[in-house]
């Protein structure tokens, strides 16, 4: 049995809902979800061999999503996946309304001109400052098993139909520099590289444009358009992609999006060996 711990915010819930039905096709895999809205998982600390949640509100959410667990014991899992938590393409688009790189062509608005290197460095710093990366750092203190990072998916294209779309998204998505902003964000994700960290990029088939997700994958909300969260159909695609990459014998790309691009930031052979050694070590400890 392969056991994966998934930690995240509201962007993890489409994974959880999708797994309710999809999990039946993977009897050898178990997902355990540790989720809380917003940035609440910042209230966690590594203690010994476990991640402890230090705020009672977070504990209540974690118990609800994980099946009653109050903390996460790292020895119980073969891998970890951090989802959402502020690691997103808006790290680049929100800069665009006030800052432009030398290579940018757009002239709309009032902005300061900076070098391409400076623009990229700021995007990198924003990602590194996210709750997601802080959580990755905490996990790395207590485990040497593989850690995956699934950034927040891009906003749904319905956002442009709102009466008052967020200024940064509207300007960046319609700009000639949208592909360049996506490229800067992707490069910043690559620069998150640390041993055993794997960044799972949003599958390209779910994108309507470099900076927006297709409306067919947005979560339905009957009161007002939800442009921030994607639906269970997206959850199924990204789960299949994750499992296929994590354990190729599981397959799944035929049912998902084979064009999704993974930014593997660790040697796949090394990762597989480390996983094998970890499992053998766990078995030896359990026998002793």
């Amino acid at each position: 049995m392969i056991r994966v711990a998934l930690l995240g915010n509201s962007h993890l819930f489409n994974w959880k809902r999708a797994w309710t039905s999809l999990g039946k096709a993977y009897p050898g895999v178990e997902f355990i979800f540790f989720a809380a809205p917003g940035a609440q998982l910042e209230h966690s600390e590594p203690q010994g061999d476990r991640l402890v949640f230090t705020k009672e509100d977070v504990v209540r959410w974690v118990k609800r999503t994980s099946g009653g667990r109050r903390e996460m014991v790292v020895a119980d899992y073969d891998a970890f996946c951090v989802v959402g938590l502020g690691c997103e393409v808006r790290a680049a688009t929100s800069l665009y309304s006030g800052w432009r790189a030398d290579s940018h062509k757009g002239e709309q608005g009032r902005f300061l001109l900076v070098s391409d290197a400076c623009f990229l460095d700021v995007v990198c710093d924003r990602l590194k400052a996210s709750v997601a990366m802080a959580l990755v750092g905490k996990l790395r203190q207590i485990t040497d098993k593989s850690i995956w990072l699934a950034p927040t998916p891009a906003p749904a294209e319905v956002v442009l139909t709102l009466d008052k779309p967020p200024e940064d998204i509207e300007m960046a998505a319609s700009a000639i520099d949208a592909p360049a902003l996506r490229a800067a964000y992707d490069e910043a994700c690559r620069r998150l590289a640390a041993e055993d960290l794997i960044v799972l990029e949003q599958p390209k088939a779910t994108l309507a444009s470099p900076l927006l997700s297709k409306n067919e994958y947005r979560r339905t909300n009957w009161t007002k358009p939800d442009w921030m969260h994607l639906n269970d159909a997206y959850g199924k695609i990204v789960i299949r992609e994750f499992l296929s990459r994590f354990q190729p014998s599981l397959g799944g790309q035929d049912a998902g999006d084979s064009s999704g691009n993974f930014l593997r930031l660790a040697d796949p052979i090394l990762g597989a060996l480390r996983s094998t050694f970890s499992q053998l070590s766990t078995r030896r400890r359990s026998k002793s």
Side-chain angles (χ1 to χ4, degrees):
M1 174 68 71
I2 297 172
R3 305 187 80 210
V4 180
L6 298 105
L7 305 95
N9 55 9
S10 56
H11 294 285
L12 181 56
F13 285 100
N14 61 52
W15 289 56
K16 183 171 174 57
R17 290 191 302 269
W19 187 246
T20 300
S21 58
L22 189 61
K24 299 172 184 177
Y26 298 92
V29 178
E30 184 178 7
F31 279 180
I32 307 298
F33 298 87
F34 298 84
Q40 293 190 64
L41 286 191
E42 67 182 351
H43 299 290
S44 60
E45 294 296 335
Q47 293 183 13
D49 64 346
R50 60 198 64 205
L51 187 71
V52 175
F53 303 100
T54 58
K55 190 175 180 182
E56 195 55 39
D57 286 348
V58 180
V59 172
R60 281 196 289 269
W61 273 104
V62 165
K63 287 181 65 178
R64 184 183 307 175
T65 61
S66 69
R69 296 167 177 79
R70 296 180 59 91
E71 56 189 17
M72 189 187 73
V73 180
V74 296
D76 292 342
Y77 305 97
D78 300 292
F80 306 87
C81 183
V82 175
V83 178
L85 292 173
C87 193
E88 57 185 321
V89 73
R90 292 187 77 179
T93 62
S94 59
L95 284 176
Y96 190 73
S97 59
W99 305 82
R100 302 290 165 80
D102 287 333
S103 62
H104 290 159
K105 306 299 182 183
E107 297 180 356
Q108 179 185 0
R110 297 170 59 87
F111 55 86
L112 296 175
L113 188 65
V114 299
S115 69
D116 289 275
C118 177
F119 191 92
L120 180 57
D121 284 346
V122 175
V123 176
C124 290
D125 288 345
R126 288 186 166 197
L127 294 183
K128 290 176 182 177
S130 67
V131 175
M133 285 305 295
L135 188 54
V136 167
K138 292 173 183 179
L139 289 173
R140 185 51 70 214
Q141 292 180 46
I142 53 178
T143 183
D144 62 356
K145 298 176 183 177
S146 63
I147 301 176
W148 295 67
L149 173 64
T152 302
E157 55 187 330
V158 71
V159 68
L160 298 182
T161 69
L162 302 179
D163 291 337
K164 293 184 178 180
E167 181 182 2
D168 67 301
I169 296 176
E170 182 179 34
M171 181 180 292
S174 60
I176 191 174
D177 293 317
L181 291 170
R182 164 58 70 171
Y185 169 71
D186 287 346
E187 177 59 27
C189 285
R190 291 186 183 94
R191 293 192 181 189
L192 294 178
E195 186 178 2
D196 293 331
L197 177 63
I198 308 160
V199 178
L200 176 63
E201 189 184 54
Q202 180 174 350
K204 293 189 184 302
T206 66
L207 291 172
S209 65
L211 303 176
L212 297 175
S213 297
K214 292 179 180 178
N215 275 335
E216 66 187 273
Y217 295 110
R218 75 177 179 88
R219 183 181 178 187
T220 301
N221 188 315
W222 300 113
T223 56
K224 60 180 180 179
D226 185 346
W227 53 269
M228 293 184 291
H229 299 93
L230 300 190
N231 60 21
D232 301 3
Y234 174 81
K236 289 181 179 180
I237 290 174
V238 74
I239 286 173
R240 288 187 181 110
E241 292 281 12
F242 166 69
L243 289 174
S244 179
R245 184 64 177 181
F246 173 70
Q247 182 62 264
S249 63
L250 293 172
Q253 288 203 24
D254 56 322
D257 164 38
S258 59
S259 65
N261 178 31
F262 291 89
L263 305 181
R264 179 78 194 220
L265 302 178
D267 187 300
I269 298 177
L270 176 59
L273 288 173
R274 293 181 69 92
S275 178
T276 300
F277 290 147
S278 176
Q279 293 175 23
L280 290 174
S281 177
T282 301
R283 290 170 186 168
R284 291 194 188 101
R285 287 197 299 267
S286 64
K287 290 179 180 179
S288 59

